[in-house]
């Protein structure tokens, strides 16, 4: 489908001081713990700033990790509005075939509301235990784990709760989350192609795995900021927006993250010191700021997620002024120019040494082959017999779309060492590969560890890499 462009205007026209955005960009780009991938800012319904750090681009989907949960929440909101789903119905009632297996009274008393608000009664994550109990049916494995307390009394960030909610919606609708949301959400607010990882049962994961653009993140946030209204028309019930974005479960003593992970939890949305948000591992954020009438969307690769939020509060919040700013044309133009030129620095190295054409390297989980070519050299990574061939140019990023979207840079740091960075462009992840010519070995390590273990040839949005 063709998506309709968001209304846009210069920052000053919406009371946004460009100097604050510059300060935020400075903070991002000088912090070694944060690799930014994209930024979009909307205020008063107008897109005032957007940029992607090359080789990331606007049109590419990006793995959102747990930001997927807020889209699952939205699917549940539609199911409630259509009379299909009741938050105050026991979870087990939607799985009658499990009835004889689930004997713990707390599990039997668990309501849909409890799994939607991370209040199942368990005191810790249950994903690994649930999978071990039932590898083929995660919901049954989850319900077989007796909650530590009564449901509704304790918060624990717990993937099977969201998976259970997502499974209920998919059962009730007879559709995947993606197909259910397409006519109700995606088409109505202008979200283009998305793709969701599925489990062995063929279900969209719900708790993670959604690949979508930064634009899609921003549009979801703007829909919630508008109380469910998009372009003057009701899309999502206002009652669901209010219910999903209020605190349901206290988490002020929780072990996760920093201060912004202790402000309460809604229905698959986090409360923040300012506004509320959907968020995913490594810096995928949808920040909704009702007091500022603003939405901020980011994608990134960082474990320092609280630090990234602190930068937003420090630099972007003060940039939101009460009214339009005059005489800022030059400042707005300079910001637009900077945003258009954002880029991640490529790894550097020298061209291949003379005197060889092809060398094989061994390692523990990936082997490598390096072959000299007329325009640089080719690096082939071999994982369990599967070959990923990558072109390594003499400088800059080398972009490939097949068999999985990648960007590659690097070179020889000395006569015997090849160092290469491989970015998987539809994820937050990059792989650092070092090959040693003297001993014919290589090492490969993730800069940020993928949370969904997949082969290299499948490190992209599912439809692209299938």
């Amino acid at each position: 489908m063709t998506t309709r462009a968001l209304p846009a205007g210069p920052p000053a026209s919406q009371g946004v001081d460009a100097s604050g955005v510059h300060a935020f960009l400075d903070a991002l780009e000088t912090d070694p713990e944060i690799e930014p991938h994209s930024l979009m800012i909307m205020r008063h319904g107008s897109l005032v700033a957007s940029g992607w750090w090359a080789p990331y681009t606007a049109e590419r989907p990006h793995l959102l990790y747990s930001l997927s949960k807020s889209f699952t929440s939205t699917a549940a909101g539609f199911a409630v509005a259509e009379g299909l789903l009741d938050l105050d119905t026991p979870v087990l009632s939607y799985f009658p075939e499990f009835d004889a297996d689930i004997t713990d009274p707390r599990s039997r008393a668990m309501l849909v509301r409890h799994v939607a608000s991370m209040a199942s009664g368990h005191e810790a994550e249950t994903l690994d235990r649930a999978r071990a109990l039932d590898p083929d049916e995660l919901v049954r494995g989850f319900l077989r784990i007796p909650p530590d307390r009564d449901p509704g009394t304790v918060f624990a960030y717990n993937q099977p709760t969201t998976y259970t909610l997502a499974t209920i919606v998919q059962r009730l609708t007879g559709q995947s989350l993606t197909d259910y949301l397409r006519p109700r959400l995606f088409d109505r607010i202008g979200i283009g192609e998305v793709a969701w990882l599925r489990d062995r049962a063929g279900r969209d994961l719900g708790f993670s795995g959604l690949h979508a653009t930064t634009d899609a993140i921003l549009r979801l946030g703007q829909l919630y900021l508008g109380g469910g209204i998009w372009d003057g028309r009701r899309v999502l019930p206002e009652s669901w927006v209010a219910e999903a974005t209020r605190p349901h479960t206290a988490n002020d003593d929780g072990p996760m993250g920093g201060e912004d992970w202790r402000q309460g939890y809604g229905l698959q949305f986090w409360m923040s010191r300012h506004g509320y948000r959907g968020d995913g591992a490594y810096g995928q954020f949808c920040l909704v700021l009702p007091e500022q009438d603003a939405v901020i969307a980011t994608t990134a690769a960082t474990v320092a997620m609280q630090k990234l939020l602190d930068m937003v509060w420090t630099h972007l919040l003060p940039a939101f002024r009460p009214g339009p700013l005059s005489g800022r044309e030059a400042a707005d133009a300079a910001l637009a120019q900077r945003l258009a030129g954002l880029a991640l620095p490529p790894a550097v190295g020298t061209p291949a040494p003379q005197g060889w054409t092809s060398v094989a390297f061994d390692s523990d989980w990936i082997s490598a082959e390096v072959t000299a070519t007329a325009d640089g050299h080719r690096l082939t990574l071999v994982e369990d017999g599967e070959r990923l061939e990558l072109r390594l140019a003499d400088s800059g990023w080398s972009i490939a779309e097949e068999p999985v979207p990648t960007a590659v840079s690097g070179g020889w740091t000395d006569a015997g060492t090849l160092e290469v960075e491989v970015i998987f462009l539809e994820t937050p992840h990059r792989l650092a590969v070092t090959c040693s010519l003297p001993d014919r070995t290589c090492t490969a390590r993730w800069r940020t560890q993928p949370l969904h273990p997949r082969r290299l040839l499948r490190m992209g949005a599912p439809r692209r890499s299938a």
Side-chain angles (χ1 to χ4, degrees), residues 322-355:
L325 306 174
S326 60
R328 304 296 182 93
E329 292 79 8
D332 286 350
L335 176 60
Q337 182 177 17
R338 179 177 183 180
L339 289 167
L342 297 173
L344 299 176
V348 296
T350 61
Q354 299 296 317

Side-chain angles (χ1 to χ4, degrees), residues 87-104:
L87 293 181
D88 295 312
T89 295
V91 167
L92 190 57
S93 69
Y94 293 103
F95 302 93
E97 71 274 28
F98 300 163
D99 188 79
D101 299 326
I102 312 305
T103 58
D104 184 85

Side-chain angles (χ1 to χ4, degrees), residues 209-228:
L210 181 62
H211 295 68
T213 61
T214 317
D215 177 88
I217 300 171
L218 193 75
R219 288 173 189 259
L220 182 74
Q222 184 63 32
L223 177 66
Y224 274 81
L225 180 65

Side-chain angles (χ1 to χ4, degrees), residues 264 306 406 417 457 460:
Q306 182 63 66
T406 54
T417 306
L457 290 178

Side-chain angles (χ1 to χ4, degrees), residues 57-126:
T57 56
E59 69 277 3
R60 285 196 188 277
H62 196 282
L63 175 57
L64 304 187
Y65 278 120
S66 284
L67 180 47
S68 309
K69 292 180 171 71
S70 298
F71 287 86
T72 297
S73 172
T74 306
F78 286 117
V80 169
E82 294 170 10
L84 300 173
L85 177 64
D86 183 350
L87 293 181
D88 295 312
T89 295
V91 167
L92 190 57
S93 69
Y94 293 103
F95 302 93
E97 71 274 28
F98 300 163
D99 188 79
D101 299 326
I102 312 305
T103 58
D104 184 85
R106 286 172 170 164
S107 291
R108 298 183 68 86
M110 194 185 303
L111 306 179
V112 176
R113 181 180 302 279
H114 297 143
V115 295
S117 59
M118 297 285 181
S120 64
H122 299 94
E123 294 180 338
E125 173 69 68
T126 64

Side-chain angles (χ1 to χ4, degrees), residues 145-223:
I145 301 173
D148 305 287
R149 302 192 207 174
D150 290 339
T153 63
V154 61
F155 172 86
Y157 196 67
N158 192 0
Q159 311 305 328
T161 60
T162 313
Y163 180 85
T164 299
L165 176 66
T167 300
I168 291 171
V169 172
Q170 290 174 96
R171 280 194 164 203
L172 293 173
T173 63
Q175 295 179 286
S176 67
L177 295 177
T178 307
D179 290 342
Y180 183 61
L181 287 172
R182 172 52 64 193
R184 292 163 177 82
L185 177 70
F186 300 146
D187 288 347
R188 296 183 70 184
I189 69 173
I191 291 177
E193 183 181 357
V194 303
W196 217 315
L197 290 177
R198 294 186 170 187
D199 68 353
R200 63 172 65 188
R203 301 174 188 141
D204 289 353
L205 281 181
F207 65 84
S208 185
L210 181 62
H211 295 68
T213 61
T214 317
D215 177 88
I217 300 171
L218 193 75
R219 288 173 189 259
L220 182 74
Q222 184 63 32
L223 177 66

